[in-house]
Amino acid sequence: MMAHRNNDTSVYRRVLRRLPFLVVTALCVILDQLTKLWAVRDLKPIVDYPLIRGVFHLTYVENRGAAFGMFADARWLFMVTSTIAVVALAGMILLMRRIHGLGLVAMAMLCGGGIGNMIDRVANGFVVDFFNFELIHFAVFNVADVFVCVGVGLLCLDLILFEFRDSGDGQKQKTSDCEKPSEDRTDV
């Protein structure tokens, strides 16, 4: 009975330590949805507003496809895929025993961006995009897309800074554990 109670407490503590994940995710979704509400209300009637003519415009676009408008009209596929990805990320966050703050923020941004675009697909049947880099003829995108891209970048950085380094330390430890102890060694 006591072991079960300690395990419950451990899970409860782990969930509480992941509370910042929920806060960052919620902030990403709120910021994304507020900018899309602005785009629908103020940008849709004028369609295009050049901030730097020929370089960066705010352009209202209803994206019915995936990233960069690919696979138009596959709404259900995107909703199912997004739901699976968000649930998997949230589950990983809650179940992982150890996670660095950078990885936590990265996964929260990925979830927030995924949820933000999923809200649009469910509510409208399309995603509202409005950032337009005309100079390089890049796809029009939104705040949720920024969170997803930055989240992926931070996750890669987390892997490089922490996971690979930690696994290297673990490899050294395993090697030293396998060494034959010297004859004159005394155990304390």
Side-chain angles (χ1 to χ4, degrees), residues 54-67:
V55 177
F56 183 70
H57 291 219
L58 297 175
T59 306
Y60 180 84
V61 174
E62 294 176 355
N63 181 353
R64 297 178 190 281

Side-chain angles (χ1 to χ4, degrees), residues 14-15 18 21-22 25 82-96 99 104 107-108 110-112 115:
R14 193 178 317 148
V15 169
R18 301 312 195 251
F21 165 78
L22 296 173
T25 300
S82 296
T83 301
I84 291 169
V86 166
V87 169
L89 278 170
M92 284 175 52
I93 287 291
L94 294 175
L95 296 175
M96 289 176 76
I99 185 168
L104 188 81
M107 289 187 202
L110 285 167
C111 279
I115 292 168

